[in-house]
Amino acid sequence: MENLFDYIDQNRERYREYWFNGLRIPSVSAEKKHKPDMLRMAEYLLRFLREELKFEGRLIEGEGNPLVYAESPAVEGAPTVLLYGHYDVQPADPLDLWKSDPFEPEIRGENVYARGADDDKGQIFAHLSGIKALMEREGRLPIRIKCIFEGEEEVGSDHLFAFLHGPEGKELLAADLIVVSDNTMAGPGQPAITYGLRGVIGFEVFFHGPNRDLHSGIYGGSVCNPALALSRALAGLMDEKGKIQIPGFYDGVRAITDQEHSVIAQVPFDEEQAKKDLGVSAFFGDPDYTIMERRCARPSFDINGLTSGYQGEGGKTIIPSWASVKFTLRVVPDQNVEKIIQATEDFFRAQVPSGIRMDFHRQQGAEGMVVPLESPYVAVASHVLETVHGKKPLFVRDGGSITIVAELWKVLNADLLMIGLGLDEDAIHSPNEHFSLDCFYNGIKTGAQLWTELAKMKK
Amino acid sequence: MENLFDYIDQNRERYREYWFNGLRIPSVSAEKKHKPDMLRMAEYLLRFLREELKFEGRLIEGEGNPLVYAESPAVEGAPTVLLYGHYDVQPADPLDLWKSDPFEPEIRGENVYARGADDDKGQIFAHLSGIKALMEREGRLPIRIKCIFEGEEEVGSDHLFAFLHGPEGKELLAADLIVVSDNTMAGPGQPAITYGLRGVIGFEVFFHGPNRDLHSGIYGGSVCNPALALSRALAGLMDEKGKIQIPGFYDGVRAITDQEHSVIAQVPFDEEQAKKDLGVSAFFGDPDYTIMERRCARPSFDINGLTSGYQGEGGKTIIPSWASVKFTLRVVPDQNVEKIIQATEDFFRAQVPSGIRMDFHRQQGAEGMVVPLESPYVAVASHVLETVHGKKPLFVRDGGSITIVAELWKVLNADLLMIGLGLDEDAIHSPNEHFSLDCFYNGIKTGAQLWTELAKMKK
């Protein structure tokens, strides 16, 4: 019988089409107009799991977008894996910066361009194709795989969070090991195992001034401008060195150990090249930490969107009726998310001048996490990644957040393997998101080989 | 022969239709898509001047929107008046806050709702109808009137500014008296003569960060956030008492004299009612001045629009590529506009952190102005306003700016009469702009009577 990897290579185009069909469904969870697309995407995945992979499964409906759950038969003596992924994607705008339709995958050079090409549909379909390859060759899987795919990762994972804490969640999702591919490799050709994630808390704050836009000539100087009031509040949130000024914000932040300083320093990073790639003349942030440490092991604050008054061409001489900001705080172990949310609200409340009324909204927050590297699963995964890429993986802490992963890990009390299949430069969340064909095909091999090797472990 | 005012009252509906047809043309100067509407509006005015009023005139083309110029025959021994107005309007957005189509005038109660209903088409058409009434009754005008209507008042008056300073501007527009109706009365039934205007300078500033929106998890803490950098710059522009912090900004500000304190105090203002009308719990600003003084006789700073990153529903975890602000400074005599523009740019430049690139744009600025009240034209106008309204006019300084008026006054070396026909509460520049039918009909009478009385003056 031919080699598994050769078989996968011979069937590339076919596997690619499953993925492309998924990319054509604009499953943007943040926009209400895409609600029907969320269901179409969930049904497409469920149909694939049932018809192509012979899994048993169902959609789990509830508040928000459906969860896709499906499982393969139990295998005596082999571990059970929970494979997590998300089928929702970020909004595609600004649309005019895309070189091709974000919901019609286009191959340019070595890459496939589409919203979700990498995050996370590309990584989901690499895994589904890996399972498909095993099924085609063996007719069965060597371990039980439970798939849980959610449609709200980009907007806070409320439904899966509720299901996990509900009556059947813990039992249905029970597994020895959780596998997640929603991160990146350490660089092209350089595999990685992600051992940490930052947590995240999303906020939206409105400052309301007069009940309508006012003429800035008639009223200017006598009515508090909500855009200025909001700017003043935001300006006080961080100093020029990048230190966040919310009282108590840094309480509990776990120090970076000496060992970790050196693990983080091993991840290749060319500062000059990175500046060129990003088009910035300088990096920013807390000078007490390296750039890579700031990105993954230290908390951060970012404005994601700012809106007030006239947005069109030319000018409009008004005092805007309101101003709003969307922002996120990233947190690390062992910051207390609830305390931070309260402190943030208190901070803003103290900044509201008279004449302004504040509306303060917060998302479900997620804690930062770091998983131990001394697990037998990590050893198996390292070996698999070396087999696929010809290189030992690096161990990386990721600055991004997968809200729900920390929660799954905590509640299910399982081991956790985070194996990113994409690259930093894939422009996820940006215009022209892409995934390299190489990453996709290597992802298929990684999955197929991982299930094969995990089956050999004594349970 | 019947009384002039009775004649006007008998022909109200007919005069109203000229105005309504003008309101149906969406002549928004700030938006490129309305470029063809600007020409349509100019042509509509010119046709009216020629066909209905027997003026001789032409469109003056150049950079930007055409000027409408037309004049009636010279009258020996009587003064020549230059009647200024603008046919462009503010953008109508936010559209969803309008109760009726902004470009289809709707009568609700005593008011006509439409963008430009007051500012400035309503006031232009009141004057045109006043002239029409005189022509209908007399077949000729008792004085020469030169009309100059521009299409760029809301965006800086560049074309008229250039024409005025060009080879034929000063001669063509030469007059004894400039009449402008682009302000407000002092209240319902209370006429006013405006003797001062604030100047204005419009700015648009961009802070550019990374060359694309970045994932705030992957890069947060290491890349300068342009929205935060801009917020920090803006926050420093004004303190919590409303004092502008640009170095040298208050240099030259003319003190308010004791006489003026009392003239301003005569303008009726009910603070509690005004707070209720505007929906604010408190007024704002420099505690050393009354609210009315802050509005008209003191400089001010207002953010008109703020834009960065994700503006849609829900969240998007990005570091935005750029952030921008539109803002205006209002100035009073004798601040130096050019010095202030330079100081403002310097102020911003000093706030640009490394990793951010600034684009700084400024409009043509206009100086603040105050005209003397001891003119024979003011006496005639006072008498006319008392005849129309049964009440002596108040003398008011207006916080708004008519960029070009200060320039016309200075260059043409003529007297200036600013007689507002509308009301403060007309929501100009806001959704549901309106003009009361009473104001419109009284405006017609004011104009017709003014030309009649001015003709009796010895030149």
Side-chain angles (χ1 to χ4, degrees):
Chain A
M1 197 173 182
E2 69 207 321
N3 176 289
L4 174 65
F5 289 1
D6 289 343
Y7 178 83
I8 289 170
D9 282 332
Q10 284 153 22
N11 290 277
R12 284 178 166 204
E13 277 70 26
R14 195 158 49 83
Y15 298 144
R16 208 178 63 194
E17 277 313 300
Y18 302 137
W19 167 37
F20 277 22
N21 286 333
L23 294 177
R24 292 188 176 108
I25 303 173
S27 48
V28 180
S29 49
E31 295 173 350
K32 283 199 192 80
K33 66 174 176 182
H34 288 297
K35 191 83 195 166
D37 299 314
M38 304 312 295
L39 181 61
R40 269 172 67 211
M41 188 67 213
E43 284 172 343
Y44 174 67
L45 284 167
L46 182 63
R47 202 161 53 241
F48 189 92
L49 285 156
R50 282 174 171 165
E51 295 175 9
E52 303 289 339
L53 307 186
K54 311 301 172 200
F55 278 43
E56 284 195 5
R58 60 184 168 108
L59 297 191
I60 299 171
E61 303 276 359
E63 300 260 328
N65 299 319
L67 303 171
V68 180
Y69 176 79
E71 60 183 29
S72 61
V75 178
E76 187 68 34
T80 293
V81 168
L82 179 72
L83 178 62
Y84 163 87
H86 65 90
Y87 65 83
D88 63 324
V89 297
Q90 285 275 316
D93 71 288
L95 279 175
D96 55 331
L97 297 185
W98 283 80
K99 291 195 185 121
S100 57
D101 184 342
F103 298 108
E104 181 51 54
E106 182 169 293
I107 301 175
R108 293 201 298 276
E110 303 300 308
N111 295 319
V112 171
Y113 290 81
R115 171 57 83 228
D118 170 337
D119 180 19
D120 186 38
K121 291 180 187 176
Q123 305 198 52
I124 285 183
F125 279 95
H127 277 304
L128 293 179
S129 299
I131 296 168
K132 174 81 172 146
L134 287 182
M135 289 296 291
E136 286 169 350
R137 285 168 53 94
E138 315 281 348
R140 56 178 283 280
L141 292 181
I143 59 170
R144 162 174 266 190
I145 298 178
K146 296 177 169 183
C147 288
I148 183 81
F149 300 142
E150 65 157 328
E152 299 176 0
E153 194 275 331
E154 304 292 4
V155 292
S157 297
D158 288 355
H159 185 183
L160 181 49
F161 193 94
F163 179 74
L164 180 63
H165 288 277
E168 50 168 345
K170 211 173 147 175
E171 196 180 337
L172 190 71
L173 304 181
D176 300 296
L177 172 66
I178 305 166
V179 173
V180 176
S181 288
D182 192 21
N183 305 85
T184 60
M185 298 168 56
Q190 175 57 63
I193 291 175
T194 301
Y195 71 97
L197 293 174
R198 289 199 283 193
V200 67
I201 320 163
F203 298 88
E204 185 162 25
V205 180
F206 291 82
F207 273 29
H208 292 280
N211 52 19
R212 60 182 192 273
D213 292 349
L214 299 180
H215 190 297
S216 68
I218 299 177
Y219 293 101
S222 73
V223 172
C224 189
N225 187 306
L228 179 64
L230 185 61
S231 295
R232 291 175 62 86
L234 291 168
L237 234 151
M238 190 185 258
D239 75 6
E240 70 281 3
K241 289 187 171 172
K243 302 262 191 202
I244 293 162
Q245 303 294 304
I246 299 167
F249 180 78
Y250 291 99
D251 289 357
V253 166
R254 197 187 294 174
I256 302 171
T257 62
D258 287 347
Q259 189 218 354
E260 240 193 322
H261 279 300
S262 83
V263 166
I264 294 173
Q266 278 170 39
V267 178
F269 176 69
D270 178 338
E271 181 171 344
E272 289 312 309
Q273 186 59 43
K275 285 198 289 194
K276 234 158 86 178
D277 291 346
L278 301 178
V280 294
S281 61
F283 279 95
F284 166 86
D286 193 333
D288 298 342
Y289 298 87
T290 68
I291 292 167
M292 290 303 269
E293 286 167 355
R294 293 175 216 162
R295 287 174 56 179
C296 68
R298 295 287 301 170
S300 66
F301 153 67
D302 267 298
I303 296 175
N304 313 129
L306 209 48
T307 311
S308 185
Y310 183 62
Q311 312 272 317
E313 285 173 77
K316 193 170 178 214
T317 50
I318 53 168
I319 302 172
S321 173
W322 56 272
S324 73
V325 61
K326 296 174 199 276
F327 68 93
T328 38
L329 291 169
R330 303 273 169 180
V331 295
V332 300
D334 298 300
Q335 287 177 288
N336 181 318
V337 164
E338 284 305 318
K339 266 194 189 163
I340 286 174
I341 290 172
Q342 192 54 55
T344 305
E345 181 164 356
D346 294 345
F347 178 90
F348 270 87
R349 205 158 292 285
Q351 308 287 323
V352 179
S354 59
I356 298 288
R357 183 174 56 77
M358 178 173 82
D359 258 358
F360 189 92
H361 304 272
R362 48 155 288 192
Q363 279 181 345
Q364 182 67 51
E367 288 171 14
M369 62 179 293
V370 171
V371 299
L373 293 173
E374 303 76 20
S375 121
Y377 297 116
V378 169
V380 169
S382 297
H383 179 67
V384 167
L385 287 168
E386 194 177 350
T387 309
V388 172
H389 295 276
K391 253 190 185 173
K392 277 188 201 306
L394 291 176
F395 295 95
V396 301
R397 255 177 100 160
D398 191 326
S401 314
I402 315 173
T403 314
I404 195 67
V405 164
E407 202 65 24
L408 286 168
W409 180 57
K410 218 167 57 183
V411 172
L412 300 179
N413 194 26
D415 274 71
L416 172 63
L417 260 185
M418 292 187 283
I419 304 175
L421 306 179
L423 297 173
D424 248 15
E425 57 257 42
D426 286 350
I428 70 169
H429 293 214
S430 299
N432 304 306
E433 177 177 351
H434 55 274
F435 198 41
S436 88
L437 287 164
D438 252 13
C439 282
F440 180 69
Y441 301 133
N442 282 331
I444 299 174
K445 292 173 188 171
T446 300
Q449 185 71 13
L450 182 63
W451 317 135
T452 307
E453 296 293 324
L454 286 175
K456 297 175 187 163
M457 290 175 73
K458 292 272 172 283
K459 193 181 169 179
Chain B
M1 200 175 183
E2 71 207 318
N3 175 291
L4 174 64
F5 289 2
D6 290 343
Y7 179 83
I8 290 171
D9 281 334
Q10 285 153 23
N11 289 277
R12 285 178 167 206
E13 277 70 28
R14 196 157 49 83
Y15 297 143
R16 208 176 63 194
E17 278 313 300
Y18 302 138
W19 168 36
F20 278 23
N21 286 332
L23 294 177
R24 292 188 177 107
I25 303 172
S27 49
V28 179
S29 50
E31 294 172 351
K32 282 199 192 80
K33 66 174 175 182
H34 289 297
K35 191 82 193 162
D37 299 314
M38 304 311 295
L39 181 60
R40 271 172 65 212
M41 188 68 214
E43 285 172 341
Y44 175 67
L45 284 168
L46 182 62
R47 203 163 49 240
F48 189 91
L49 285 156
R50 283 175 170 164
E51 296 177 7
E52 303 288 338
L53 308 186
K54 312 301 173 198
F55 278 42
E56 284 195 6
R58 62 184 167 109
L59 296 190
I60 300 170
E61 304 274 0
E63 301 261 326
N65 299 320
L67 303 171
V68 180
Y69 175 80
E71 60 184 27
S72 60
V75 178
E76 187 67 34
T80 293
V81 168
L82 179 71
L83 178 63
Y84 164 87
H86 65 90
Y87 66 81
D88 63 323
V89 298
Q90 285 275 316
D93 71 292
L95 280 176
D96 55 332
L97 296 185
W98 283 80
K99 292 195 185 120
S100 56
D101 184 340
F103 298 108
E104 180 51 53
E106 183 170 293
I107 302 176
R108 292 200 298 276
E110 302 301 306
N111 295 318
V112 171
Y113 290 81
R115 171 57 84 228
D118 170 337
D119 178 21
D120 186 37
K121 291 182 187 176
Q123 306 199 50
I124 285 183
F125 279 95
H127 277 304
L128 293 180
S129 299
I131 297 169
K132 174 81 172 147
L134 288 182
M135 289 297 290
E136 285 168 351
R137 285 168 52 93
E138 315 280 347
R140 55 178 284 279
L141 292 182
I143 59 170
R144 163 173 265 188
I145 299 177
K146 296 177 169 183
C147 288
I148 183 81
F149 300 144
E150 65 157 329
E152 298 176 1
E153 194 276 331
E154 305 292 2
V155 293
S157 297
D158 286 356
H159 184 184
L160 181 49
F161 192 94
F163 180 74
L164 180 63
H165 289 276
E168 49 168 345
K170 212 174 144 174
E171 196 180 339
L172 191 70
L173 303 182
D176 301 296
L177 173 66
I178 305 165
V179 173
V180 176
S181 289
D182 193 19
N183 303 88
T184 59
M185 297 167 58
Q190 175 57 63
I193 291 177
T194 302
Y195 70 97
L197 293 174
R198 290 198 283 192
V200 66
I201 320 162
F203 298 88
E204 185 163 27
V205 181
F206 291 82
F207 273 28
H208 293 279
N211 53 18
R212 62 181 190 274
D213 292 348
L214 298 180
H215 190 297
S216 67
I218 298 177
Y219 292 101
S222 73
V223 172
C224 189
N225 187 305
L228 180 64
L230 185 61
S231 296
R232 291 175 62 86
L234 291 168
L237 234 151
M238 190 184 257
D239 75 7
E240 70 282 3
K241 291 188 169 170
K243 302 260 190 204
I244 293 161
Q245 304 294 302
I246 299 166
F249 179 78
Y250 291 98
D251 288 357
V253 167
R254 198 186 295 174
I256 302 173
T257 62
D258 288 346
Q259 189 216 356
E260 240 192 320
H261 278 302
S262 83
V263 165
I264 293 173
Q266 279 169 37
V267 179
F269 177 67
D270 179 340
E271 181 172 345
E272 288 312 308
Q273 187 58 42
K275 285 197 291 193
K276 235 160 84 180
D277 290 347
L278 301 178
V280 295
S281 61
F283 278 96
F284 166 85
D286 192 334
D288 296 343
Y289 298 88
T290 68
I291 292 166
M292 290 304 269
E293 287 167 354
R294 291 175 216 162
R295 288 173 57 179
C296 68
R298 295 287 302 169
S300 67
F301 154 67
D302 268 298
I303 296 175
N304 313 129
L306 209 48
T307 310
S308 184
Y310 183 62
Q311 312 271 317
E313 286 173 77
K316 193 168 179 217
T317 51
I318 53 169
I319 301 172
S321 173
W322 56 273
S324 74
V325 61
K326 297 176 199 275
F327 68 94
T328 39
L329 292 169
R330 302 273 168 179
V331 295
V332 299
D334 299 302
Q335 288 178 288
N336 182 317
V337 165
E338 283 305 318
K339 266 194 187 162
I340 286 175
I341 290 171
Q342 192 54 55
T344 305
E345 181 164 356
D346 293 347
F347 179 90
F348 270 87
R349 204 159 293 287
Q351 308 287 323
V352 179
S354 58
I356 298 288
R357 182 174 57 78
M358 178 173 80
D359 258 357
F360 189 92
H361 304 273
R362 50 155 286 192
Q363 278 182 345
Q364 182 67 49
E367 288 170 13
M369 61 180 293
V370 172
V371 298
L373 293 173
E374 303 77 19
S375 123
Y377 297 116
V378 169
V380 170
S382 296
H383 178 68
V384 167
L385 287 168
E386 195 178 347
T387 310
V388 172
H389 295 277
K391 252 190 187 175
K392 278 188 200 304
L394 291 177
F395 295 95
V396 301
R397 255 178 99 160
D398 192 325
S401 315
I402 316 173
T403 314
I404 195 69
V405 164
E407 203 64 23
L408 285 168
W409 180 58
K410 217 168 57 184
V411 172
L412 300 179
N413 194 27
D415 273 72
L416 173 63
L417 261 184
M418 292 188 283
I419 303 175
L421 305 179
L423 297 173
D424 248 16
E425 56 257 42
D426 286 351
I428 70 169
H429 293 213
S430 300
N432 304 305
E433 176 177 350
H434 55 274
F435 198 39
S436 89
L437 288 164
D438 253 12
C439 283
F440 181 68
Y441 301 133
N442 284 330
I444 298 174
K445 293 173 189 173
T446 300
Q449 186 69 15
L450 182 63
W451 316 135
T452 306
E453 296 292 325
L454 287 175
K456 298 177 187 162
M457 291 176 73
K458 293 270 172 279
K459 197 184 164 179

